Amino acid sequence: MSREWNALGLSHRFLRQHVRPGDFVVDATAGNGNDTLFLSRLVGERGRVLAMDIQPRAMENTGALLQKEGVENVRLVLDGHENMAAYAAEGSVDAVAFNFGWLPAGDHNVFTRKETSLPAVEAGLRLLRSGGAMSLCIYYGRNNGYDERDALLQFVRGLDDRVWSVMAVDFANRKNDPPIFVWIVKEG
Ligand SMILES: C[S@@+](CC[C@H](N)C(=O)[O-])C[C@H]1O[C@@H](n2cnc3c(N)ncnc32)[C@H](O)[C@@H]1O
């Protein structure tokens, strides 16, 4: 069943409200490029998107989608998001989006893991400007298990509340491991 009220839908609502034309944003999990395309449209011609993934197939799929849509404001980087700081300056980023889990229609044994996801979130927070925001869609269960979800939630709950505002939304009545949405703002 496709639902309007889910983690991804919430992430798009918040990103749509936050991201402005001309912004610099990071899609930390490019996958098939759907979120990259969404972000590239939000930042427009004057803006830039850095899109990362570790799978060549994800880069190919994202590149093909962007080419089909005539998008030219995206830099595709085949590298782990834990290395994000090599591609963007501290304090220069308006928003970072993570969509954890595996590549839809891809190899379900290649998925995000806490060992790299936590350093990536930390790196992304350092890159944010004051007032910048980070979106996390946390898919978990099945192949992913629960370690990554637990580690991410523990980490974001521990962020200094003088600097960061953190909202975590779970769908309280849903069965079967409903994805969790987290929104983090660096208070300016
Ligand atoms: C749920 S998918 C992303 C879906 C994507 N946003 C879209 O619109 O299609 C998660 C992606 O994270 C990627 N991934 C796993 N570990 C990664 C890492 N360390 N750095 C960057 N990407 C990673 C996977 O290859 C997969 O494509």
Side-chain angles (χ1 to χ4, degrees):
M1 180 185 9
S2 112
R3 297 180 189 260
E4 186 189 351
W5 290 98
N6 56 27
L8 187 64
L10 284 179
S11 122
H12 283 200
R13 277 170 194 253
F14 277 76
L15 287 165
R16 200 178 284 120
Q17 198 174 31
H18 176 81
V19 175
R20 296 275 168 263
D23 276 0
F24 176 31
V25 305
V26 179
D27 182 354
T29 46
N32 290 324
N34 300 305
D35 296 310
T36 309
L37 179 62
F38 171 74
L39 290 168
S40 79
R41 288 183 171 145
L42 291 183
V43 301
E45 283 175 12
R46 289 186 297 109
R48 287 180 299 140
V49 181
L50 168 67
M52 306 185 73
D53 205 291
I54 50 168
Q55 292 195 69
R57 177 156 176 210
M59 291 287 95
E60 284 159 23
N61 292 355
T62 299
L65 179 64
L66 298 177
Q67 195 175 20
K68 180 168 147 267
E69 297 294 331
V71 167
E72 293 180 347
N73 57 0
V74 177
R75 179 182 178 192
L76 291 177
V77 174
L78 179 65
D79 196 359
H81 39 215
E82 60 278 15
N83 302 320
M84 203 184 293
Y87 307 96
E90 215 162 286
S92 71
V93 174
D94 298 286
V96 181
F98 285 89
N99 197 330
F100 296 102
W102 55 69
L103 181 63
D107 181 351
H108 289 193
N109 292 311
V110 181
F111 48 82
T112 54
R113 293 168 191 272
K114 70 173 180 185
E115 291 75 15
T116 42
S117 300
L118 278 178
V121 169
E122 288 181 282
L125 292 178
R126 279 194 294 274
L127 297 185
L128 286 181
R129 64 163 171 83
S130 292
M134 180 181 285
S135 158
L136 313 179
C137 287
I138 307 177
Y139 294 80
Y140 57 94
R142 292 195 282 168
N143 297 28
N144 270 70
Y146 300 91
D147 285 4
E148 182 188 46
R149 176 201 65 179
D150 294 346
L152 286 168
L153 290 177
Q154 189 186 15
F155 173 77
V156 301
R157 288 190 174 123
L159 286 169
D160 184 345
D161 69 354
R162 292 166 299 182
V163 182
W164 306 100
S165 287
V166 180
M167 190 179 83
V169 180
D170 69 346
F171 288 85
N173 68 333
R174 285 201 189 148
K175 300 173 180 60
N176 303 326
D177 299 332
I180 294 167
F181 169 63
V182 176
W183 182 249
I184 306 172
V185 177
K186 184 173 185 180
E187 297 292 353

